[in-house]
Amino acid sequence: MIVQRDSIRKYAMQHPYQKIVAICGCFDILHYGHLEYITGAKALGDVLFAGVNADISVYENKKRLPVFS
């Protein structure tokens, strides 16, 4: 499900006793290391929100465009 930042804040206010974990990155191309990162983060809380970097951000960091936009 894709949600906006305000939706995360609203969710947190409606569920004050849940521990929210957030991760962000470029998961292109998804590999085993990404899965370890994601499952490890999820183990730290009740709900996991994952942010995905925009193509321009990937280019600025890795000096290449992602394989999948």
Side-chain angles (χ1 to χ4, degrees):
M1 171 184 348
I2 298 174
V3 298
Q4 299 300 315
R5 191 175 308 166
D6 291 339
S7 298
I8 298 171
R9 186 176 298 117
K10 183 177 177 182
Y11 182 91
M13 293 177 73
Q14 291 173 344
H15 301 88
Y17 299 107
Q18 287 191 336
K19 187 171 185 178
I20 297 173
V21 178
I23 61 172
C24 188
C26 170
F27 304 104
D28 176 61
I29 295 174
L30 188 66
H31 58 75
Y32 184 75
H34 291 138
L35 296 177
E36 284 186 325
Y37 174 62
I38 294 166
T39 55
K42 174 60 179 103
L44 297 174
D46 301 308
V47 179
L48 175 68
F49 286 99
V52 178
N53 290 23
D55 290 356
I56 190 68
S57 172
V58 174
Y59 182 78
E60 289 171 355
N61 289 323
K62 297 187 176 193
K63 305 303 180 212
R64 67 167 179 80
L65 288 173
V67 176
F68 299 102
S69 292

